[in-house]
Amino acid sequence: DAGVTQSPTHLIKTRGQQVTLRCSPISGHKSVSWYQQVLGQGPQFIFQYYEKEERGRGNFPDRFSARQFPNYSSELNVNALLLGDSALYLCASSLGTGGWRGNQPQHFGDGTRLSIL
Amino acid sequence: QKEVEQNSGPLSVPEGAIASLNCTYSDRGSQSFFWYRQYSGKSPELIMFIYSNGDKEDGRFTAQLNKASQYVSLLIRDSQPSDSATYLCAVNIAAGGTSYGKLTFGQGTILTVHP
C-alpha cells in the first residue's frame, strides 16, 4: 500500500512569494496534519484537518493556511515567504477516529524541503 | 519548562549493547506517546506507540510509560549500527481534549551505535 505522498520534493522560492505544498494520505486515513521541521529540532505542529474540517492550529502566523479536500488530500499554503520559512514541511496522516484515542499513530510522508532565497 | 524534553545526547553505544532513550513531558493529561526514528535527511518513521502505563515490547524495542512520573522511555536491545539515527519522542498534549491531532515533539536524541 502507498504511504503518505507529498509533492513537490524540493522547492526554491524567493522572499515574498507564495507556495502550495500537497499531501495525499494513506488510503483510509481521514486525518492529515502538517508540521514544520527546521534543522536540529523536532517537528512543530502547524495544522490538523479531520473530515475536511480544521481541528487544530499551531502557533504559526496567518500567512500559513491549509485545506482538506473530499478525497482527504490536503494542501498547505504559505504566503509572503520569509527566510525563516526555510524548513522541511512534513505531512502526516492517521485514522483519526475521534475521542482521546483519536490520536491514532501518525505516519509521515517524505516531506517537502522548502528553501527561501 | 519545555512541554517535551529528551535527554540531550548525543548517545553513543557499542554494537550489541542496550540503548536507553528518555523523555519527560509536562502535561499530566497527556494520553498518547510515540517514538519516531529519523535518519539524516529523511522524514520521521514511527517505531513505537504506547497509551498505558507499563512496558510495550516490539522486537528489539521496548517502550516504557510512567504517567505518575510523566516519563516515557525507549530501550533498544542488541543495538545495531543501522539503529544510528535521531530518535524523536512525541506526545499528544491534551489541551482540553480538542487537539488530539497535535503531536508535540522533543528536540530529539542522536544515537550512534559503533561497531
Side-chain angles (χ1 to χ4, degrees):
Chain A
D1 287 342
V4 178
T5 58
Q6 291 187 244
S7 63
T9 305
H10 293 87
L11 207 48
I12 299 174
K13 292 286 189 177
T14 57
R15 283 177 295 175
Q17 285 189 309
Q18 175 265 342
V19 68
T20 298
L21 310 181
R22 295 177 175 84
C23 172
S24 292
I26 293 170
S27 177
H29 284 192
K30 298 181 179 180
S31 174
V32 170
S33 297
W34 288 94
Y35 295 83
Q36 180 196 66
Q37 187 177 27
V38 298
L39 198 62
Q41 297 183 21
Q44 295 266 315
F45 174 78
I46 309 175
F47 285 110
Q48 189 224 358
Y49 278 78
Y50 176 62
E51 288 284 15
K52 301 177 285 294
E53 291 185 5
E54 181 183 304
R55 295 301 185 97
R57 173 186 283 256
N59 188 23
F60 280 81
D62 291 343
R63 300 184 295 109
F64 289 76
S65 63
R67 55 180 175 169
Q68 187 177 33
F69 299 98
N71 67 352
Y72 302 108
S73 66
S74 178
E75 287 182 351
L76 175 70
N77 295 284
V78 188
N79 294 322
L81 288 166
L82 302 173
L83 292 177
D85 295 331
S86 295
L88 178 66
Y89 287 84
L90 295 162
C91 173
S93 77
S94 70
L95 288 169
T97 53
W100 75 266
R101 281 188 183 264
N103 196 23
Q104 296 290 321
Q106 296 186 21
H107 301 269
F108 285 88
D110 289 339
T112 294
R113 190 163 299 281
L114 176 62
S115 298
I116 310 302
L117 303 180
Chain B
Q1 181 188 7
K2 291 182 180 178
E3 292 180 291
V4 179
E5 287 201 71
Q6 298 185 236
N7 47 338
S8 55
L11 180 65
S12 180
V13 300
E15 184 174 356
I18 296 175
S20 177
L21 303 157
N22 304 314
C23 175
T24 57
Y25 59 94
S26 61
D27 188 335
R28 190 170 290 278
S30 300
Q31 300 283 1
S32 310
F33 307 87
F34 305 86
W35 284 99
Y36 288 86
R37 176 176 63 197
Q38 187 171 28
Y39 292 114
S40 181
K42 301 295 185 181
S43 64
E45 173 193 7
L46 178 70
I47 52 174
M48 290 288 288
F49 61 93
I50 187 166
Y51 297 141
S52 304
N53 275 330
D55 295 358
K56 179 181 179 181
E57 188 174 316
D58 184 3
R60 296 186 296 111
F61 299 98
T62 299
Q64 299 175 316
L65 175 61
N66 183 327
K67 289 187 177 181
S69 300
Q70 295 173 240
Y71 175 92
V72 58
S73 65
L74 179 71
L75 299 178
I76 307 175
R77 291 182 301 281
D78 188 24
S79 295
Q80 301 298 310
S82 59
D83 294 326
S84 298
T86 297
Y87 288 80
L88 295 163
C89 171
V91 179
N92 168 233
I93 303 290
T98 60
S99 54
Y100 57 76
K102 172 185 175 181
L103 292 182
T104 300
F105 285 81
Q107 75 277 22
T109 299
I110 298 173
L111 171 67
T112 301
V113 181
H114 52 88

